[in-house]
Amino acid sequence: MAASYWDSTQKKFWTFTKPQLQLVRQKLEESDRNIVSLYPLPDRRYLSIYFYHQLSKMARPLGIRQQALATAQVYVRRFYTRVEIRRTNPALLLATALYVACKMEECPQHIRMILGEARHCWADTSFTDVTIIGECEFTLISELDSQLIVHHPYRSLTELQNQFQLTQEENSLAWSIINDHYLTDLPLLHAPHVIAITAMFLAVVLKPTQGGMQGSAAGLTAAMQTLGNARNATGGAHIRVQKLVDWLAESQVDIEAVVECTQELISLYEVWESYSDKACKDQIAKFVKARGMDTRRE
Amino acid sequence: MFTGYQHKKRVHERYKIIGFISSGTYGRVYKAEGKNGRVGEFAIKKFKPDKEGEVQYTGISQSGIREMALCTELSHPHVVHTVEIILEDKSIFIVFEYAEHDLLQIIHHHNSNQRGAIPARTVKSIMHQLLQGLVYLHKSWVLHRDLKPANIMVTSAGKVKIGDLGLARLFYKPLHSLFTGDKVVVTIWYRAPELLLGSRHYTPAIDLWSVGCIFAELLQLRPIFKGEELKADPKSKAVPFQRNQMQKIVEIMGMPIKDRWPLLTSMPEYGHLSSLAAGNPRMRAPQSLEHWYETCLRNNHWPKASSPDSPGPEGLSLLQQLLEYDPQKRITAEKALLHPYFSIHGKPLESCFEESKIKYPVRTVSQDNEIRSSSLPGTKRSGIDDHSMGRPVKRLKQDG
């Protein structure tokens, strides 16, 4: 949005290579080794799914749209590269991230409405008054260095949709793949247009008739093969797919990045099958309770 | 939320407050010096996160959030540079590079003691730099929405920088019409006719109208359309038709007509326009911008013909294109930079003070170096703050 993505704070400060991201997190865990070993947590993707469910639960009654939800998810992910999760009350952070995201995405919600939904959502006694969200807002914005403008792949998808004349079904599948990528580290690793291209590519290859992404491992394998063809610029696939593959091969788009995104999404859909809401909830509750963050503020 | 969370930066450890500069509803602006190895002068804008008079804390206002996000995101030689933002205790501090002057102060200086016109080359350089900043903002999908002389900073080195993004917004595909957020923007004298006529869709063209008004003011040292603002009814919050302001525009520019502005008749307040003319002879025989310009050249002893020492006929042509009624026909910032006004007598000066012997007074700084949190009364900004309008909205439209 602001300027192009290339001059954005997202590109400059919030896009990492995989090893960089790993190092950042490792440092964070090392500085809090005690609580990290005391309170083991599920796979990050499970936590992300859990967070997403909680955010959606809050957002739905308020009619908050997807883009604000996506921005909130990005804030949470960025925040947890700066602050160890076990030092926080994730429920409070999620509510606050949603509150700030709504303002930033021009669909503001009154702080009391957010508080009400948060209280309802977690049955959490610590959500006593709006001041705690207000305080957390300061912390969140400080940790994010006030860099609140997020570039999403949705806009690139709209452009691609026109260029490739995607069908309604393909477009909505691509859209939901973009929604899913917020459950992974991809928003911290790749440019939004790379995500959009990946989503479009998967949508066209997988065809929406297969009824959603989850569990269609065969289709995904086929997608990978087609992408492999793009790398070697040899063909053989369906005409439409071929057109896309040719375009990919000729464009400046980093095919390796698209492959990496595809793999990341595939493994998300694989782990998703064994997701358990309860496991996440319980493990988070443990450190929140033990550290007294649900009743006491420090 | 966090055990032992510490604010990482503290204003007083980093800056020494020298004095107070100005205030608005948002809070107060101070002049400061760097401390502990930090060199240079700074302007620190402090805004209170909470509304005065409200018992309970309600979070940072939406315009505050916008301003913080835009300030960190934007970076251009002709936009005031944001050094950092500090959130400490319950206050927000935005630290800007310091600018010794602003256009309002420069205009005032020429106005007092019969000092006469701002040198033609200075005006040209100011306009050239201002437009470069505006091209950057618009390319970045940012509408400034409050361009006026007081918001255009000038450094002691003669560099012009657009300041105060307090009302600025991103206009790329807004989730809601830009109208719903905050209905009244832009100080009334610089407000574009389409806004006066109730347009709900803001476009970059509104900033170009303001630039036109600023250009005229630099030439004449007085606001070209100095209307009286009608205050909104505090009960209904309805925005009144700004009859007097529209009248001031028509007195010079003449009545807008459908032939030149095809969408004119579909403006919400179009009906008010015809009643303006009734019983007002000046409406029927408008002065015309050409006449206004000629008078202005004559009063300033500027040659009528094209010359490096006069805004000349090119200046009029640019002004006409900036003060174009139809927002779709109004010149864009990018095109304005290519206007012959800026090229006919060589490149505009890089520093607007170059070749000028005039010494402008330094910014007045009052000795009130206590960082106070409340703003002074009667210094409200013209924009209605989002929160005061959008009480808890039960259900927002969900569109994708």
Side-chain angles (χ1 to χ4, degrees):
Chain A
M1 249 181 274
S4 68
Y5 161 77
W6 304 104
D7 298 323
S8 67
T9 52
Q10 177 166 338
K11 169 85 171 69
K12 277 186 269 188
F13 304 109
W14 298 102
T15 304
F16 304 83
T17 64
K18 259 191 168 170
Q20 278 170 347
L21 185 58
Q22 204 182 353
L23 192 68
V24 164
R25 285 175 173 157
Q26 202 181 318
K27 277 192 181 153
L28 211 56
E29 292 203 342
E30 276 167 11
S31 64
D32 266 315
R33 206 171 293 155
N34 256 343
I35 47 171
V36 169
S37 56
L38 263 175
Y39 307 107
L41 284 177
D43 186 296
R44 200 178 299 276
R45 285 166 296 186
Y46 289 147
L47 288 179
S48 303
I49 296 170
Y50 177 68
F51 290 165
Y52 177 66
H53 288 166
Q54 300 298 312
L55 281 172
S56 312
K57 247 194 253 174
M58 274 192 287
R60 207 170 300 123
L62 299 172
I64 295 168
R65 50 177 279 166
Q66 172 58 31
Q67 183 145 328
L69 221 59
T71 299
Q73 285 172 285
V74 172
Y75 289 166
V76 170
R77 193 168 295 277
R78 288 179 179 182
F79 184 84
Y80 284 138
T81 65
R82 297 266 171 106
V83 179
E84 166 53 41
I85 184 169
R86 296 164 183 87
R87 295 180 70 88
T88 71
N89 177 356
L92 177 56
L93 184 75
L94 288 171
T96 309
L98 186 62
Y99 172 58
V100 177
C102 285
K103 286 191 275 193
M104 201 55 232
E105 298 298 342
E106 302 293 344
C107 53
Q109 289 289 333
H110 197 278
I111 195 166
R112 277 196 289 275
M113 303 299 286
I114 299 279
L115 182 80
E117 288 307 325
R119 201 185 275 158
H120 181 242
C121 192
W122 278 282
D124 186 330
T125 50
S126 70
F127 287 96
T128 46
D129 70 286
V130 294
T131 337
I132 67 161
I133 294 181
E135 279 173 12
C136 186
E137 180 179 34
F138 261 53
T139 306
L140 174 65
I141 295 175
S142 291
E143 289 297 338
L144 299 183
D145 292 330
S146 310
Q147 289 151 359
L148 301 174
I149 294 174
V150 178
H151 294 254
H152 290 291
Y154 300 112
R155 207 174 116 196
S156 305
L157 180 64
T158 313
E159 286 159 18
L160 292 167
Q161 179 194 358
N162 297 329
Q163 194 182 340
F164 291 97
Q165 298 182 319
L166 301 183
T167 64
Q168 183 77 54
E169 291 77 22
E170 285 165 342
N171 191 51
S172 60
L173 181 56
W175 182 277
S176 64
I177 293 170
I178 292 178
N179 293 351
D180 292 343
H181 103 284
Y182 294 105
L183 306 173
T184 70
D185 282 332
L186 290 175
L188 296 181
L189 297 170
H190 292 286
H193 71 274
V194 172
I195 306 292
I197 288 167
T198 306
M200 170 186 72
F201 177 76
L202 286 176
V204 170
V205 171
L206 291 175
K207 300 199 193 60
T209 45
Q210 294 181 354
M213 294 289 298
Q214 280 158 271
S216 66
L220 285 163
T221 314
M224 287 302 288
Q225 272 166 8
T226 322
L227 262 180
N229 290 343
R231 267 188 286 188
N232 308 319
T234 59
H238 189 273
I239 299 172
R240 243 177 118 237
V241 177
Q242 187 57 49
K243 243 178 85 182
L244 235 163
V245 168
D246 291 345
W247 174 80
L248 260 179
E250 279 167 30
S251 70
Q252 298 292 307
V253 176
D254 180 358
I255 294 188
E256 294 305 324
V258 176
V259 171
E260 205 183 298
C261 294
T262 309
Q263 278 164 341
E264 203 68 52
L265 285 163
I266 291 173
S267 74
L268 168 71
Y269 295 126
E270 278 166 6
V271 300
W272 204 327
E273 309 209 338
S274 43
Y275 168 74
S276 147
D277 215 58
K278 193 174 174 301
C280 290
K281 195 176 163 185
D282 291 350
Q283 272 165 298
I284 290 172
K286 262 185 211 154
F287 71 78
V288 171
K289 261 215 166 61
R291 297 176 54 75
M293 282 177 297
D294 54 340
T295 52
R296 173 168 57 97
R297 278 182 286 125
E298 287 170 83
Chain B
M1 158 171 192
F2 309 113
T3 43
Y5 180 79
Q6 284 285 313
H7 293 289
K8 289 182 179 162
K9 304 180 200 167
R10 296 201 159 266
V11 170
H12 286 288
E13 284 167 13
R14 299 158 91 89
Y15 302 96
K16 176 174 180 277
I17 304 296
I18 296 173
F20 163 76
I21 298 175
S22 64
S23 73
T25 32
Y26 53 83
R28 296 161 70 87
V29 182
Y30 297 87
K31 183 177 178 179
E33 260 171 15
K35 236 171 141 175
N36 297 329
R38 197 167 282 271
V39 281
E41 294 175 316
F42 303 90
I44 300 183
K45 179 171 178 175
K46 175 188 185 183
F47 46 87
K48 271 182 46 167
D50 48 350
K51 301 279 168 339
E52 276 158 76
E54 246 178 80
V55 190
Q56 215 177 21
Y57 179 70
T58 53
I60 304 171
S61 72
Q62 195 186 7
S63 53
I65 293 271
R66 272 189 211 128
E67 185 172 359
M68 292 162 77
L70 288 172
C71 281
T72 48
E73 201 72 25
L74 298 172
S75 160
H76 188 268
H78 297 295
V79 174
V80 171
H81 173 65
T82 302
V83 179
E84 61 178 338
I85 298 180
I86 298 176
L87 292 95
E88 183 183 328
D89 299 327
K90 285 193 167 171
S91 300
I92 299 165
F93 302 89
I94 306 188
V95 182
F96 298 103
E97 64 177 316
Y98 182 71
E100 196 61 80
H101 314 279
D102 57 63
L103 291 189
L104 186 61
Q105 188 203 52
I106 288 174
I107 290 165
H108 274 325
H109 182 68
H110 282 270
N111 249 330
S112 51
N113 312 322
Q114 274 90 46
R115 253 182 212 98
I118 304 175
R121 292 169 205 249
T122 302
V123 173
K124 186 173 291 189
S125 173
I126 289 171
M127 288 298 292
H128 193 241
Q129 298 188 52
L130 168 58
L131 282 164
Q132 287 176 59
L134 195 57
V135 166
Y136 170 75
L137 290 184
H138 289 173
K139 273 197 174 157
S140 309
W141 302 98
V142 173
L143 295 181
H144 187 283
R145 306 201 302 172
D146 196 19
L147 290 175
K148 56 183 176 185
N151 286 344
I152 315 295
M153 305 297 146
V154 184
T155 67
S156 46
K159 298 290 178 195
V160 175
K161 288 158 190 270
I162 297 174
D164 199 346
L165 295 166
L167 287 178
R169 281 182 70 169
L170 289 166
F171 63 93
Y172 180 78
K173 255 181 41 178
L175 298 186
H176 294 274
S177 148
L178 284 172
F179 185 76
T180 51
D182 27 19
K183 293 190 182 170
V184 183
V185 291
V186 182
T187 310
I188 188 157
W189 301 337
Y190 309 92
R191 198 176 292 171
E194 64 271 26
L195 293 181
L196 295 170
L197 292 175
S199 167
R200 277 140 209 266
H201 292 284
Y202 296 3
T203 66
I206 64 158
D207 285 339
L208 273 306
W209 179 274
S210 307
V211 169
C213 297
I214 293 169
F215 188 22
E217 194 165 335
L218 289 170
L219 298 174
Q220 199 201 21
L221 304 177
R222 280 198 305 275
I224 180 170
F225 310 124
K226 198 174 173 183
E228 275 163 42
E229 181 156 12
L230 263 173
K231 294 284 171 233
D233 180 356
K235 272 184 223 143
S236 70
K237 294 225 166 120
V239 184
F241 173 59
Q242 296 290 351
R243 168 176 298 275
N244 187 256
Q245 181 61 32
M246 195 67 218
Q247 207 164 303
K248 296 287 174 193
I249 295 174
V250 174
E251 281 173 14
I252 293 178
M253 305 298 300
M255 200 61 101
I257 50 167
K258 195 177 186 301
D259 281 358
R260 280 196 56 81
W261 183 1
L263 291 175
L264 174 66
T265 48
S266 49
M267 291 286 150
E269 309 282 1
Y270 173 67
H272 287 288
L273 214 49
S274 52
S275 71
L276 270 186
N280 188 336
R282 274 192 294 180
M283 294 283 134
R284 274 192 226 112
Q287 188 186 2
S288 91
L289 191 59
E290 288 85 348
H291 184 258
W292 177 92
Y293 192 79
E294 257 174 50
T295 314
C296 181
L297 289 189
R298 203 166 46 239
N299 290 345
N300 290 339
H301 313 292
W302 276 326
K304 245 183 111 171
S306 185
S307 148
D309 296 310
S310 168
E314 301 84 22
L316 172 61
S317 155
L318 176 60
L319 188 61
Q320 282 170 325
Q321 293 177 60
L322 289 166
L323 297 179
E324 164 67 55
Y325 269 127
D326 185 347
Q328 293 186 15
K329 290 202 188 107
R330 202 172 298 146
I331 197 166
T332 64
E334 210 168 0
K335 289 224 173 87
L337 275 181
L338 300 173
H339 192 278
Y341 171 67
F342 295 115
S343 53
I344 190 152
H345 299 291
K347 276 186 76 174
L349 304 172
E350 300 239 332
S351 154
C352 67
F353 299 144
E354 213 177 311
E355 297 178 17
S356 164
K357 291 185 192 74
I358 301 159
K359 272 266 157 270
Y360 294 95
V362 298
R363 195 176 284 288
T364 327
V365 171
S366 66
Q367 281 315 304
D368 169 15
N369 21 17
E370 230 3 75
I371 290 203
R372 271 198 277 152
S373 49
S374 63
S375 59
L376 297 172
T379 50
K380 293 214 175 268
R381 279 193 211 202
S382 58
I384 293 176
D385 209 61
D386 303 13
H387 267 301
S388 62
M389 314 238 343
R391 278 294 143 208
V393 183
K394 190 66 193 163
R395 203 161 273 276
L396 290 177
K397 230 189 277 163
Q398 188 156 29
D399 44 342

